[in-house]
Amino acid sequence: CDTVVIEKDPEVIKKLVENKMLYIEGDATDDEVLYKAGLKNAKAIITALSTDAQNVYVTLSARQAAPNITIISRAESEESIKKLELAGA
């Protein structure tokens, strides 16, 4: 089971390389980047972006592209949990 990290922060990418982790440099809110990471064939996706709005956006994109995928998403606030669930997480 391969894990692919989508990251745009050069410092984090440096750590990914040091730990020999598979990654794609880019923005996870970009559908093309999600597809490049293998979204359509993935069994699951974890969204842990810096804002709830970004996590909702990625959740919506993932649910549309892969209706049966398992989506786990981080929420900053209690109010956002319901929105993420409505989006498909």
Side-chain angles (χ1 to χ4, degrees):
C1 174
D2 290 330
T3 300
V4 180
V5 177
I6 300 173
E7 184 57 62
K8 60 183 178 180
D9 183 330
E11 291 301 314
V12 174
I13 290 172
K14 185 178 175 182
K15 291 177 184 178
L16 293 170
V17 170
E18 289 170 359
N19 289 297
K20 298 179 181 171
M21 294 194 65
L22 186 59
Y23 74 93
I24 293 186
E25 185 172 357
D27 184 344
T29 62
D30 182 338
D31 287 350
E32 287 185 36
V33 174
L34 290 172
Y35 294 138
K36 188 176 177 184
L39 175 64
K40 287 198 173 193
N41 297 317
K43 292 180 183 175
I45 183 171
I46 299 172
T47 65
L49 299 171
S50 57
T51 69
D52 288 340
Q54 290 174 313
N55 288 317
V56 168
Y57 188 87
V58 172
T59 298
L60 287 168
S61 295
R63 182 60 63 216
Q64 181 179 16
N68 296 319
I69 195 169
T70 298
I71 302 173
I72 301 166
S73 189
R74 180 181 69 84
E76 290 182 359
S77 67
E78 288 290 323
E79 299 85 37
S80 296
I81 293 172
K82 194 66 143 172
K83 290 177 184 169
L84 284 161
E85 289 173 344
L86 287 170

